[in-house]
Structure formats: structure tokens, C-alpha cells
């Protein structure tokens, strides 16, 4: 059976619908940076999705090619994730999506090296006739965070975040979002197939002790 990050690392991908503190280990990602409204048809965000998934599935199916990755085992491509921020805004201002800056990522198995990533990006670009130059191999060290499952549309996230912040105050922590530690979302629903009221999104914020 293929390795599934969501099932093996449930504490990071399937949190409860109440706040909890986790220490997130360092992980490797395919990443594309950009800015602007993610809902813009044919915009930068949608183009980033094409690049991310092209490289992700090239790596996943590499065992069927002549290129061999050391330590490879079959796995399920992990869910899409996103780090979000806006200049001069604390947290996220959902009413001004055009001001969003984002770092969209898909997690990589630990056996995927920079060399393997470079091969996949070049292979995907040639096979899909797609410019993959915006993609990068990124190592993220999140560390101590608070997280919670959010149910429903993205615009309703402030209510969930308020619960997370209230929890932090009770247990002696504070939010530590800044230039290097960002608002983080993990998307567990396919927005093309699932109605917004049923969307499941992990919301994760960096924290520190008071």
C-alpha cells in the first residue's frame, strides 16, 4: 500500500476541531511564490497550481521511468498547502484578496533531493510544455505551532482563528506570526468538487511562550 502522509502523520494533517499545540518537524516542499487574488481565473495562483502538480506527479511516477531516486517508495501525493501574508497587515485581511502574497507548497518525501527535484522540474516542463522555472525546492522549519481544523469557506476562518487565539491566551502562549513565520493552511478538500460549507482546512499558526 502506498505511503500516505495524511494517515501516517495524522497529528499534522487531521487535527480535531479544537485548538491544539504541535511541534512541526522540518520538511521539504515543492514551492511556488506569488501574489494576487487566488480566485482570479487564469491568474498567477492557478498557474502555480499547474506547476506544483506537474512536478509532484512527475516525482511520484518517477519509478516508471529510467530515472531512479535513491530510497524511493510509492506514496500518495500530499495535499496542497499554502502560507499567506499581506504587507503591513497583522494576520490576514480576507476582504482584500488582491493584496495577498502566498507561498504555495506540496510536501515531498524525505528521499527527494535537490537533484531529484531539478530532474522532475525539467522533465515536467518538457513533457507538459510548461514553464516550471518558478518552482523551488524549499526546506521549512515550522517548529512550535497551534493548529485546528476549520470547516467551511475560507472567508469564515477568522472565527476559527479567534478560538485559537483565545486558547493560546489560556495556556500561556502568543501568536508569533512575522516575516519568517506565516499563516499556514492545508487543504483537505477539492474545492472543485466539494461545496464550500463542507470544505476542510487545517489552519496552523506559529506560536511562542509568553
Amino acid at each position: 500500500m502506498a505511503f500516505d502522509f495524511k494517515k501516517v502523520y495524522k497529528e499534522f494533517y487531521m487535527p480535531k476541531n479544537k485548538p491544539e499545540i504541535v511541534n512541526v518537524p522540518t520538511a521539504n516542499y515543492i514551492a511556488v511564490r506569488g501574489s494576487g487574488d487566488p480566485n482570479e481565473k487564469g491568474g498567477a495562483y492557478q498557474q502555480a497550481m499547474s506547476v506544483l502538480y506537474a512536478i509532484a506527479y512527475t516525482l511520484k511516477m518517477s519509478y516508471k521511468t529510467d530515472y531512479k531516486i535513491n530510497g524511493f517508495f510509492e506514496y500518495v501525493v500530499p495535499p496542497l498547502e499554502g502560507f499567506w501574508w499581506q504587507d503591513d497587515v497583522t494576520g490576514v485581511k480576507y476582504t482584500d484578496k488582491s493584496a495577498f502574497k502566498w507561498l504555495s507548497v506540496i510536501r515531498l518525501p524525505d528521499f527527494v533531493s535537490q537533484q531529484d527535484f531539478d530532474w522532475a522540474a525539467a522533465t515536467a516542463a518538457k513533457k507538459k510544455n510548461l514553464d516550471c522555472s518558478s518552482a523551488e525546492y524549499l526546506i521549512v522549519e515550522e517548529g512550535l505551532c497551534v493548529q485546528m481544523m476549520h470547516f467551511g469557506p475560507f472567508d469564515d476562518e477568522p472565527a476559527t482563528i479567534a478560538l485559537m487565539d483565545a486558547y493560546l491566551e489560556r495556556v500561556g502562549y502568543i501568536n508569533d506570526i512575522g516575516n519568517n513565520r506565516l499563516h499556514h493552511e492545508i487543504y483537505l478538500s477539492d474545492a472543485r468538487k466539494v461545496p464550500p460549507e463542507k470544505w476542510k482546512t487545517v489552519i496552523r499558526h506559529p506560536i511562542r511562550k509568553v
Side-chain angles (χ1 to χ4, degrees):
M1 185 177 293
F3 183 93
D4 190 334
F5 286 87
K6 298 190 303 297
K7 294 179 180 178
V8 177
Y9 300 117
K10 288 183 179 180
E11 66 270 35
F12 303 121
Y13 290 96
M14 300 298 293
K16 299 174 182 177
N17 61 339
K18 62 180 182 179
E20 60 187 15
I21 291 174
V22 291
N23 196 0
V24 184
T26 301
N28 306 328
Y29 295 88
I30 309 167
V32 176
R33 302 173 188 269
S35 61
D37 188 341
N39 298 319
E40 180 187 352
K41 290 186 178 180
Y45 186 79
Q46 293 187 7
Q47 293 175 32
M49 297 303 100
S50 298
V51 172
L52 286 172
Y53 281 106
I55 296 174
Y57 278 94
T58 298
L59 286 164
K60 170 183 166 63
M61 304 306 295
S62 63
Y63 69 98
K64 292 189 175 183
T65 72
D66 291 336
Y67 186 88
K68 303 303 176 186
I69 297 177
N70 187 39
F72 180 92
F73 52 77
E74 291 190 52
Y75 62 97
V76 177
V77 171
L80 176 69
E81 307 183 35
F83 295 90
W84 299 83
W85 71 99
Q86 292 158 311
D87 291 339
D88 303 319
V89 173
T90 300
V92 177
K93 186 178 180 181
Y94 292 85
T95 56
D96 189 7
K97 294 181 174 60
S98 64
F100 274 138
K101 295 190 175 180
W102 38 264
L103 177 60
S104 292
V105 302
I106 295 177
R107 185 170 177 176
L108 292 170
D110 291 343
F111 57 70
V112 175
S113 67
Q114 176 75 60
Q115 179 180 333
D116 301 324
F117 170 86
D118 292 342
W119 167 83
T123 301
K126 184 176 181 180
K127 185 175 181 180
K128 301 286 187 180
N129 192 26
L130 183 68
D131 182 2
C132 294
S133 61
S134 60
E136 60 184 284
Y137 180 86
L138 183 69
I139 301 173
V140 177
E141 301 178 20
E142 279 196 274
L144 200 62
C145 296
V146 63
Q147 66 180 19
M148 179 176 171
M149 186 71 79
H150 170 74
F151 295 94
F154 303 133
D155 287 350
D156 293 346
E157 287 184 8
T160 298
I161 292 170
L163 293 174
M164 294 164 61
D165 288 342
Y167 169 76
L168 291 178
E169 187 174 354
R170 291 197 303 272
V171 297
Y173 288 85
I174 58 173
N175 202 296
D176 195 31
I177 289 179
N179 291 334
N180 298 314
R181 305 188 77 198
L182 303 168
H183 172 90
H184 185 181
E185 300 178 356
I186 304 175
Y187 309 107
L188 301 179
S189 303
D190 187 337
R192 299 168 301 176
K193 301 177 181 178
V194 179
E197 63 270 16
K198 294 186 177 180
W199 288 351
K200 294 194 296 184
T201 307
V202 180
I203 299 179
R204 184 182 295 161
H205 282 175
I207 61 173
R208 60 182 171 86
K209 195 75 174 175
V210 173

